[in-house]
Amino acid sequence: MSYLSLSTWSLHRNLGPLRWTQWDAEAGKHMFVENPQPELMKLVDLPAHLAKEGFGAVEIGHFHFPSTDDGYLAELRAAVERAGISLDTILLDYGDVSSADEVRRQADVAYAREWIDVAAKAGAKNIRVVAGESEPGDKAALARSIASLKELHAYGQSRNVRVITENFKPLASTSDNVLAIIGAFEGGLNVIDDFGNFKGETKYEQLAAILPHAVSIHAKAHYDENGLPDTEEYVRCLELLKTGGYDGAVSLIYDGPGDMWEGLSRIRRIVEPYL
């Protein structure tokens, strides 16, 4: 049976500063930029709140971690365990493991390994690693991405963390590329299937094509200027879950205007009949 999850991106105006990772090409190293946001709730307090609201799991963006020190990760892990929910996935939002710049690619692979260690200490089941920023037609980039993901997947197994990817960013913007990556693992790689990331007339076909390999659905709607979802389009995406017999996490994504909890409540009412 599928269950309700939440991505912390849905609360990105509520959980304090956003801590972004960027690549400094001139210096050949990572740099870190903090975007101020109100801290209306501490990340460590979120699991108990989600449990109270009936969520079964949480996905945490790497940019929401105020610290990756062992003490903080132990505190967060304990908070998740006390709440009785699952820390399903850490969403590593940075990295181009498909890059033709070997310095950057190796640095980004090493950075992903560090976050696999973070995921292990925090008790996360999965970590999402972005397949790459390269253009979808770049076959050499696809090969580099697969090689990097294989390296990281093996490392994740050694740390009891499952490395997954997503139909996210240019390289994985087509189901053909996502399936090519999955195929290189002979079925051993799982994905996040995000409603909002495939484009064009074949969107629904592409979502359905990768659904059998999904361990999380990012249930993202199209929102108008008032934060109201396009219900007809959203339901069409959700119907794919019923047709495909999906039984994993359905993670609510609200990134529209206004109060984020209210926005989540609006889409939750649409999603719940499909759980």
Side-chain angles (χ1 to χ4, degrees):
M1 182 176 178
S2 56
Y3 57 94
L4 196 65
S5 179
L6 181 77
S7 165
T8 58
W9 179 247
S10 300
L11 298 171
H12 67 266
R13 295 194 294 272
N14 294 24
L15 293 175
L18 302 175
R19 301 166 181 88
W20 300 111
T21 310
Q22 298 177 2
W23 179 249
D24 185 336
E26 185 174 343
K29 63 180 182 179
H30 298 117
M31 59 181 292
F32 305 95
V33 177
E34 188 169 289
N35 180 23
Q37 294 283 358
E39 189 176 47
L40 305 180
M41 178 182 290
K42 293 183 181 296
L43 179 63
V44 75
D45 294 331
L46 181 61
H49 185 83
L50 291 180
K52 182 180 176 182
E53 294 296 320
F55 288 84
V58 64
E59 296 184 343
I60 303 177
H62 92 282
F63 44 80
H64 272 138
F65 278 78
S67 171
T68 55
D69 292 344
D70 286 358
Y72 180 79
L73 297 177
E75 181 184 5
L76 180 61
R77 182 171 189 156
V80 171
E81 291 172 352
R82 281 196 306 271
I85 68 171
S86 171
L87 173 48
D88 269 8
T89 308
I90 289 178
L91 302 169
L92 181 56
D93 211 59
Y94 164 84
D96 185 5
V97 299
S98 73
S99 177
D101 179 345
E102 193 63 13
V103 172
R104 177 175 182 181
R105 190 180 73 84
Q106 291 295 344
D108 285 1
V109 168
Y111 188 68
R113 287 168 69 100
E114 292 174 10
W115 274 95
I116 291 171
D117 291 339
V118 169
K121 292 172 184 177
K125 294 192 296 186
N126 308 305
I127 183 167
R128 182 204 65 192
V129 176
V130 176
E133 301 275 0
S134 303
E135 290 303 309
D138 189 335
K139 298 302 182 184
L142 186 62
R144 289 190 295 269
S145 176
I146 289 169
S148 301
L149 288 170
K150 283 186 173 181
E151 177 183 339
L152 292 169
H153 190 270
Y155 184 69
Q157 288 180 314
S158 76
R159 304 290 283 124
N160 200 31
V161 175
R162 180 169 54 185
V163 170
I164 63 177
T165 194
E166 182 181 343
N167 60 324
F168 182 46
K169 301 292 186 179
L171 188 64
S173 64
T174 69
S175 59
D176 284 347
N177 276 5
V178 176
L179 292 172
I181 293 168
I182 293 168
F185 285 79
E186 299 180 350
L189 182 75
N190 293 106
V191 299
I192 294 170
D193 197 349
D194 188 305
F195 288 169
N197 290 349
F198 286 141
K199 309 297 182 186
E201 296 179 358
T202 62
K203 168 181 175 172
Y204 305 100
E205 295 172 20
Q206 293 190 84
L207 288 172
I210 69 170
L211 182 62
H213 308 281
V215 291
S216 175
I217 299 297
H218 280 182
K220 184 189 298 173
H222 295 303
Y223 301 100
D224 67 14
E225 65 276 7
N226 298 311
L228 299 177
D230 181 339
T231 302
E232 182 179 354
E233 200 278 338
Y234 202 36
V235 165
R236 186 173 178 184
C237 292
L238 289 164
E239 285 289 337
L240 296 173
L241 307 186
K242 183 190 295 185
T243 303
Y246 178 75
D247 65 355
V250 180
S251 193
L252 300 185
I253 306 285
Y254 180 75
D255 56 3
D259 184 272
M260 305 202 86
W261 287 111
E262 289 179 6
L264 284 165
S265 293
R266 286 193 291 269
I267 61 171
R268 180 175 179 171
R269 288 191 292 269
I270 304 170
V271 167
E272 283 189 323
Y274 293 90
L275 298 177

